[in-house]
Amino acid sequence: MKQLDVVTVGEAMAMFIAQQTGDLAAADRFIKRIAGAELNVAIGLSRLGLQVGWVSRVGDDSFGRFTLQQLAKEGIDHHCVTTDARYRTGFQLKASVDDGSDPEVEYFRKGSAASYLSPDDFDADYFGAARHLHLSGVAAALSDSSLALCQHAAKEMRARGKTISFDPNLRPVLWRSTDEMRKQLNLLAEYADWVLPGEKEGLILTGYQQPEAIADFYLDKGVKAVIIKTGCDGAWYKTADGEKGQVAPIRVENVVDTVGAGDGFAVGVISALLEGKALPQAILRGNKIGSLAIQVAGDSEGLPVRAALGDY
């Protein structure tokens, strides 16, 4: 079994980005890319030289073949990606913006192949070959069976002494209710060593507004470190040992596309911590990669190779 640095679980979708700004209804020219929160993280980590495995299901269709081609192009191991002929690969339409605002995105993913992920997709040898598991709230939200896979993977990897990171990545529209989302994601977070919520996500999940209160909520459940994305202020962190502080943002003059910034942040933090860097250094790298991600159109196009990181 090939040794991996990181394994993750999620859904990939073909993404069609409008080539002119304005209402999606008026767009008539699109460019095709790949999208998916966990896949963005896998791509970013692979570009930094880590050995990454990605677990999912795709349809036996052109979008599924496109996904597999992109995985191969990015050097991501996909031995545990199943081609499921019963269901289609999801896709999305994304508006183009030029003012730094969040672009409109329309999803076509209901009943997708990835929504049928389940604990049956857990290969103990494959997951066990990785030293780290990354999960996000997107895969957990796809379906009850996909949530069960995330829970099973987290439980098994923790039992094996692997490290786990968790990005809540809230998708309320995919859940039956906010209460259900809050309950399930907080239970999943308890398995993690590192939890990476945004400030607004932390408020929704914990009821607390202050970063330290959000951090304490998870630290009291056994998490080792909580890193909270605080927007223009960068990120705030606190560890189980009581270390805490703010890490300044990387200023960007021209914001092109905000989608994928959080995934880029996760790439920086996870990669640096797996290299043994101190938490403030890891967060600084996260801020750097997040800043690169928002300067180009597309969810993963701004994720850098190692040489582009410089001293970060």
Side-chain angles (χ1 to χ4, degrees):
M1 183 65 64
K2 180 180 179 180
Q3 293 300 303
L4 299 170
D5 293 302
V6 181
V7 65
T8 188
V9 177
E11 178 175 30
M13 289 175 287
M15 175 172 64
F16 294 89
I17 307 172
Q19 291 302 282
Q20 61 263 55
T21 58
D23 186 1
L24 266 176
D28 58 9
R29 289 180 289 113
F30 295 83
I31 187 169
K32 185 170 70 171
R33 293 288 185 265
I34 198 78
E38 301 88 356
L39 181 56
N40 291 339
V41 174
I43 289 171
L45 293 172
S46 182
R47 288 182 186 172
L48 294 180
L50 281 78
Q51 298 298 313
V52 184
W54 185 75
V55 177
S56 190
R57 294 190 185 196
V58 298
D60 186 12
D61 48 38
S62 63
F63 292 161
R65 294 193 298 276
F66 175 62
T67 298
L68 296 176
Q69 290 166 5
Q70 295 305 302
L71 291 168
K73 177 182 175 182
E74 295 289 350
I76 297 169
D77 188 275
H78 52 280
H79 281 91
C80 282
V81 176
T82 299
T83 297
D84 191 332
R86 299 170 298 170
Y87 310 107
R88 308 295 293 178
T89 309
F91 71 97
Q92 62 177 261
L93 302 177
K94 181 177 176 181
S96 180
V97 296
D98 56 9
D99 58 0
S101 61
D102 293 339
E104 176 189 4
V105 181
E106 292 186 358
Y107 296 94
F108 300 83
R109 74 195 315 175
K110 186 176 177 62
S112 68
S115 70
Y116 288 90
L117 281 164
S118 77
D120 290 341
D121 293 286
F122 183 84
D123 183 317
D125 290 336
Y126 187 81
F127 277 81
R131 58 191 179 112
H132 182 81
L133 170 68
H134 177 68
L135 294 173
S136 101
V138 180
L142 292 176
S143 63
D144 289 343
S145 62
S146 184
L147 172 62
L149 170 60
C150 292
Q151 293 167 332
H152 183 69
K155 181 179 180 180
E156 290 295 318
M157 292 294 273
R158 183 163 185 172
R160 292 170 180 245
K162 313 291 186 173
T163 53
I164 301 172
S165 53
F166 177 65
D167 184 342
N169 232 323
L170 301 187
R171 297 292 190 274
V173 70
L174 296 180
W175 293 91
R176 283 185 286 269
S177 69
T178 300
D179 286 342
E180 179 71 6
M181 176 180 72
R182 184 182 298 115
K183 173 186 174 182
Q184 296 298 344
L185 294 188
N186 283 337
L187 286 172
L188 197 56
E190 291 184 24
Y191 289 102
D193 297 273
W194 316 322
V195 176
L196 296 83
E199 206 167 13
K200 292 179 181 178
E201 291 177 324
L203 174 61
I204 293 169
L205 291 173
T206 72
Y208 298 115
Q209 194 157 13
Q210 295 301 317
E212 185 158 15
I214 295 169
D216 286 341
F217 177 89
Y218 292 110
L219 294 172
D220 289 344
K221 296 179 182 298
V223 172
K224 293 180 180 177
V226 182
I227 304 103
I228 301 165
K229 292 160 280 190
T230 54
C232 295
D233 294 326
W236 192 91
Y237 68 94
K238 187 174 182 181
T239 71
D241 296 329
E243 180 188 357
K244 59 184 178 181
Q246 185 84 28
V247 179
I250 307 294
R251 300 296 176 187
V252 173
E253 293 296 328
N254 183 33
V255 177
V256 175
D257 185 346
T258 57
V259 177
D263 300 330
F265 180 82
V267 168
V269 172
I270 294 166
S271 63
L273 290 177
L274 291 179
E275 291 172 16
K277 293 187 179 296
L279 188 53
Q281 291 177 288
I283 296 171
L284 185 60
R285 181 186 288 183
N287 287 345
K288 175 63 175 178
I289 296 181
S291 75
L292 294 173
I294 63 177
Q295 294 182 62
V296 297
D299 291 14
S300 61
E301 278 65 29
L303 298 174
V305 295
R306 174 71 65 181
L309 274 182
D311 296 330
Y312 289 94

